[in-house]
């Protein structure tokens, strides 16, 4: 894909949770790299703790493959392991990014847990903490240290938080997920208010159901919980979407690139739906 926003060439971006092929993080990293951005693709690298199924983890190998395929397409990209729950790692990876590429202009808080879905009456405290931890504490930590660097550089910056339709509406069996994504919108607004004077914008993107990444897992869970086949569940979902199809990772990547561009310089504190019209408040 050719560059749409030439002003992005040479900027430096760090994308969290971007190590899985077909994930939203991978699509955003790929799109930013196509715009000439030097991209650091990060992910946890291996499962931590009993709650994390191996299938939900961007492994070191997958992350390396994502970075290699972005380089093969002509982009500048490096992979680094980063557990967003670990303050020390967050600081170290931001320092390594600056050392590698000379600065940091864009942070995309994309890492997320979506697979711990249960009715409130069955959800354990440790499951709740795991979801809130990655989805919210992780975004806070990365925002704090990336913003520290952007403020010191004095050339502004962009922070893009990948929230969800679950930041605007409630979904059954997703109390921790919805609470974390609603919280992310609050974090977005406060970050926008506090950092605006430094020329740093902060916006959230709220995608609806994507059939890849953790969305695939959630769709299967909802279908089962509602006693439907996956096909029947997806058909009903499609029927609720005015534009008639589920979201694609590229839809979120397009919104992300625009939010990072000069065209979006007067847009901050927003929680932008990318949902084919399914969500509109
Ligand atoms: N797929 C959808 O339908 C959908 C819809 C709306 C929002 N989202 C959001 O998009 C983001 C990306 O999700 P995806 O669907 O691309 O799935 P994904 O599984 O590809 O991405 C999530 C990534 O987060 C990583 N991660 C988990 N714990 C981590 C930790 N402690 N530190 C660093 N990384 C960690 C995982 O390894 C994984 O690579 C998530 O925040 C998700 O909530 C997804």
């Amino acid at each position: 894909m050719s560059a749409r926003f030439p002003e992005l060439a040479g900027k430096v971006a760090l994308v969290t949770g971007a190590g899985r092929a077909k994930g939203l993080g991978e699509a955003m990293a790929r799109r930013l790299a196509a715009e000439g951005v030097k991209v650091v693709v990060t992910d946890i690298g291996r499962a931590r703790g009993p709650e994390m199924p191996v299938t939900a983890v961007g492994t070191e190998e997958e992350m390396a493959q994502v970075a290699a395929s972005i380089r093969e397409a002509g982009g500048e990209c490096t992979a680094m392991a980063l557990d967003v729950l670990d303050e020390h790692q967050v600081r170290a990876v931001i320092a390594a990014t600056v050392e590698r590429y000379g600065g940091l202009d864009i942070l995309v808080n994309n890492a997320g847990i979506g697979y711990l879905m249960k009715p409130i009456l069955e959800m354990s405290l440790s499951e709740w903490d795991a979801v809130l931890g990655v989805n919210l504490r992780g975004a806070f930590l990365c925002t704090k240290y990336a913003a520290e660097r952007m403020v010191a550089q004095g050339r502004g910056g962009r922070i893009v938080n990948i929230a969800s339709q679950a930041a605007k509406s409630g979904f059954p069996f997703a109390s921790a997920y919805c609470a974390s994504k609603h919280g992310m919108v609050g974090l977005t607004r406060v970050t926008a208010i506090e950092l605006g004077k430094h020329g740093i914008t902060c916006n959230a993107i709220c995608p609806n159901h994507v059939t890849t990444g953790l969305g695939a897992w959630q769709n299967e869970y909802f279908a089962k919980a509602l006693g439907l086949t996956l096909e029947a569940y997806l058909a009903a979902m499609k029927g609720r979407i005015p534009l008639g199809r589920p979201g694609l990772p590229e839809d979120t990547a397009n919104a992300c690139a625009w939010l990072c561009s000069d065209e979006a310089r007067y847009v901050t504190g927003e929680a932008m739906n990318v949902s084919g019209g399914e969500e509109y408040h």
Side-chain angles (χ1 to χ4, degrees):
M1 155 171 223
S2 55
R4 291 273 321 273
F5 305 113
E7 70 275 17
L8 289 179
K11 303 258 185 219
V12 180
L14 188 156
V15 187
T16 67
R20 294 184 77 205
K22 300 200 180 128
L24 302 188
E26 188 217 7
M28 289 185 285
R30 193 174 291 286
R31 175 63 199 273
L32 289 173
E35 295 290 345
V37 176
K38 299 167 186 166
V39 181
V40 176
V41 159
T42 71
D43 211 311
I44 190 168
R46 65 186 168 84
R48 304 272 153 86
E51 271 114 13
M52 195 162 198
V54 178
T55 49
V57 176
T59 63
E60 303 238 9
E61 296 72 32
E62 283 176 293
M63 206 187 334
Q65 275 166 18
V66 165
S69 93
I70 289 174
R71 284 195 299 274
E72 274 159 29
E76 177 66 53
C77 184
T78 305
M80 297 186 197
L82 169 59
D83 179 348
V84 296
L85 290 174
D86 184 328
E87 186 171 19
H88 176 75
Q89 280 187 35
V90 171
R91 299 182 76 167
V93 166
I94 287 172
T97 300
V98 171
E99 199 182 320
R100 176 92 173 84
Y101 289 131
L104 179 63
D105 303 290
I106 297 165
L107 167 70
V108 183
N109 281 312
N110 171 73
I113 289 188
Y115 52 84
L116 287 171
M117 309 223 348
K118 277 186 186 171
I120 289 176
L121 297 183
E122 290 168 25
M123 179 160 258
S124 71
L125 187 55
S126 71
E127 288 165 336
W128 170 273
D129 285 345
V131 178
L132 269 287
V134 175
N135 295 8
L136 204 45
R137 170 187 149 145
F140 156 71
L141 276 178
C142 293
T143 297
K144 175 177 159 115
Y145 291 109
E148 188 180 79
R149 175 69 207 178
M150 290 173 189
V151 169
Q153 287 171 177
R155 58 181 199 232
R158 295 282 194 265
I159 299 173
V160 180
N161 291 329
I162 307 309
S164 170
Q165 186 177 16
K168 304 281 187 84
S169 292
F171 291 90
F173 322 123
S175 54
Y177 190 75
C178 287
S180 70
K181 296 298 186 178
H182 276 69
M184 199 177 216
V185 172
L187 175 67
T188 301
R189 291 177 179 149
V190 176
T191 307
I193 292 167
E194 292 187 8
L195 299 181
K197 61 178 178 286
H198 300 287
I200 300 168
T201 69
C202 180
N203 293 285
I205 299 176
C206 301
N208 65 335
H209 327 261
V210 177
T211 53
T212 57
L214 58 79
W217 195 95
Q218 289 178 335
N219 292 333
E220 272 170 38
Y221 180 91
F222 278 126
K224 208 168 150 197
L226 297 170
L228 298 171
T229 62
L230 182 62
E231 293 67 35
Y233 175 77
L234 291 176
M237 181 178 97
K238 226 167 94 177
R240 290 196 303 271
I241 302 171
L243 291 180
R245 66 163 173 83
L248 299 170
E250 290 71 27
D251 297 320
T252 295
N254 289 341
C256 177
W258 181 75
L259 284 171
C260 293
S261 77
D262 280 357
E263 287 186 10
R265 62 184 174 266
Y266 199 56
V267 177
T268 195
E270 287 294 332
M272 182 174 151
N273 298 315
V274 176
S275 73
E278 189 181 4
E279 193 71 52
Y280 44 76
H281 71 283

